[in-house]
Amino acid sequence: MRILTGIQPSGTPHIGNYFGAMRQVCNIQDKGETFLFIADYHSLTTGPAPDALRSRVLELALNYLACGVDTKKTVLFRQSDVPEVCELTWILNNVTPVGLLERAHSYKDKIAKGFAPNNGLFSYPVLMASDILIYQSNLVPVGKDQKQHLEITRDIAIKFNNQYGEIFTIPDELIPDEVAIVPGIDGQKMSKSYNNTIPIFGKEKEIRKAIMNIVTDCKGLEEPKDPDHCNVVALYKLVATPEELEEMKERYRAGGYGYGHAKMALFEKLWNYFEPMRKRRAELESDIGYVWQILAAGAEKARAEATRTMDKVRRAVGLR
């Protein structure tokens, strides 16, 4: 089984990235051949400065490796080191109905939030389809917000196969319900686009401040509270044991337990949870050349697979 996932180098990774995607990759490395790419082509839809993009690629590689990616089991590479994916995107554009892209929730949501409606943002699902199909992926870990994009990938692959023959593997998604969407400090999905994140490798003061800014209702210290509709509890659930989670819920219901108490408990759990990863990241940061070597070796393996697929695609559509 081949597993594929990717993440944009759009800034400092946050706990939503980790629990929504990065941890999944680390957990499934033993279940199949894993391809993990840093999606720098995708990040161009937001127009990052060139130097910022390059530094973010390196930062994200550091963070994936620090969080447990094992390069003996996982092919880690930079998306743009496999330019064949852009050629496949153009070919797939010619079998992709415009109406299919117009129905994409992510595009409409970003436009509503003020993003420029450029064609890169509109055709993002086609590039995502190319990322998945070019490596003949069987399984794609995604959050619930990306489920529709994977369905679009399946539709494109089926349409292409029906027209040109059985070229592409039809992928399935992997969506763990308990961490499918991680709430941000404002209650929306955690995203750098919404400026509502808690960083993984930030300074202690920075992380503490973000947690203390989590939005709650106005109930006072002594009042009973609803743990099932609280952003603090939803985040605490990610790092607490079942017993610790139940204890916090009981304190909420009993009263005499403020949101400030809950936020401090959350900070302590998050800080301790990521401590081994902070140490590993510091080690990697002392040898940046080694990190670039890992990315180069991964790109070589990924491009070899992409070349095999593109040879079949070109022949199928009449370009060879």
Side-chain angles (χ1 to χ4, degrees):
M1 180 172 63
R2 178 165 292 161
I3 304 160
L4 178 130
T5 191
I7 188 170
Q8 288 193 38
S10 52
T12 304
H14 52 74
I15 65 171
N17 296 139
Y18 177 77
F19 289 107
M22 297 171 79
R23 186 172 67 168
Q24 292 181 47
V25 173
C26 298
N27 288 344
I28 64 177
Q29 291 178 109
D30 293 324
K31 297 181 179 179
E33 184 182 25
T34 304
F35 277 52
L36 170 60
F37 67 91
I38 299 173
D40 50 351
Y41 278 146
H42 282 293
S43 69
L44 293 177
T45 60
T46 60
D51 288 343
L53 177 56
R54 280 186 283 268
S55 65
R56 289 172 185 174
V57 167
L58 177 60
E59 180 182 352
L60 198 52
L62 279 167
N63 290 322
Y64 263 122
L65 293 168
C67 288
V69 166
D70 184 348
T71 54
K72 294 179 181 178
K73 303 173 183 177
T74 295
V75 180
L76 175 63
F77 63 100
R78 182 169 47 181
Q79 182 188 26
S80 61
D81 283 337
V82 188
E84 287 81 1
V85 75
C86 291
E87 180 185 0
L88 180 57
T89 299
W90 174 249
I91 292 173
L92 295 183
N93 270 324
N94 291 283
V95 299
T96 303
V98 172
L100 186 64
L101 301 180
E102 288 177 333
R103 292 191 291 274
H105 302 313
S106 178
Y107 174 75
K108 291 185 283 188
D109 178 62
K110 284 183 168 57
I111 296 305
K113 291 186 178 297
F115 283 71
N118 59 53
N119 187 58
L121 197 62
F122 180 69
S123 61
Y124 177 104
V126 187
L127 178 55
M128 180 173 168
S130 297
D131 290 323
I132 296 167
L133 300 176
I134 202 166
Y135 304 111
Q136 304 293 352
S137 309
N138 303 105
L139 190 65
V140 184
V142 292
K144 281 186 177 179
D145 60 318
Q146 289 288 318
K147 185 176 188 297
Q148 187 192 38
H149 282 172
L150 191 60
E151 291 170 349
I152 291 173
T153 294
R154 290 170 57 85
D155 289 343
I156 292 172
I158 290 170
K159 194 172 190 301
F160 186 95
N161 286 351
N162 287 341
Q163 186 168 338
Y164 293 110
E166 296 297 318
I167 302 296
F168 295 123
T169 301
I170 308 301
D172 291 317
E173 77 272 3
L174 173 63
I175 306 177
D177 291 336
E178 69 275 11
V179 293
I181 296 179
V182 177
I185 62 174
D186 59 356
Q188 298 186 85
K189 175 203 168 189
M190 189 173 289
S191 170
K192 287 178 282 288
S193 302
Y194 305 149
N195 194 30
N196 66 354
T197 64
I198 300 172
I200 298 174
F201 298 110
K203 300 294 184 182
E204 181 177 355
K205 184 177 179 181
E206 177 189 9
I207 295 173
R208 189 191 302 271
K209 181 180 178 181
I211 290 172
M212 297 308 291
N213 285 334
I214 294 174
V215 173
T216 59
D217 60 34
C218 299
K219 290 182 178 178
L221 174 64
E222 298 301 327
E223 294 181 81
K225 301 168 182 66
D226 183 0
D228 297 323
H229 295 86
C230 176
N231 299 324
V232 182
V233 177
L235 291 168
Y236 189 72
K237 177 182 178 181
L238 299 172
V239 289
T241 65
E243 294 77 16
E244 290 169 334
L245 177 62
E246 189 55 37
E247 180 182 357
M248 178 177 281
K249 288 184 175 182
E250 288 176 1
R251 289 181 174 181
Y252 264 60
R253 298 185 186 106
Y257 185 75
Y259 290 121
H261 296 125
K263 290 176 181 179
M264 285 305 301
L266 172 61
F267 168 76
E268 293 295 335
K269 292 297 293 185
L270 282 173
W271 185 255
N272 292 332
Y273 184 92
F274 286 105
E275 182 177 5
M277 301 175 206
R278 289 195 299 272
K279 291 180 179 179
R280 174 59 176 154
R281 192 187 189 283
E283 293 171 359
L284 291 164
E285 205 167 12
S286 67
D287 190 1
I288 295 300
Y290 171 70
V291 178
W292 283 118
Q293 288 174 14
I294 289 173
L295 290 175
E300 185 177 354
K301 294 178 182 178
R303 196 168 188 187
E305 184 61 38
T307 298
R308 282 191 286 272
T309 297
M310 287 309 301
D311 182 62
K312 296 176 183 177
V313 170
R314 294 185 192 111
R315 293 177 185 278
V317 301
L319 295 177
R320 289 292 182 273

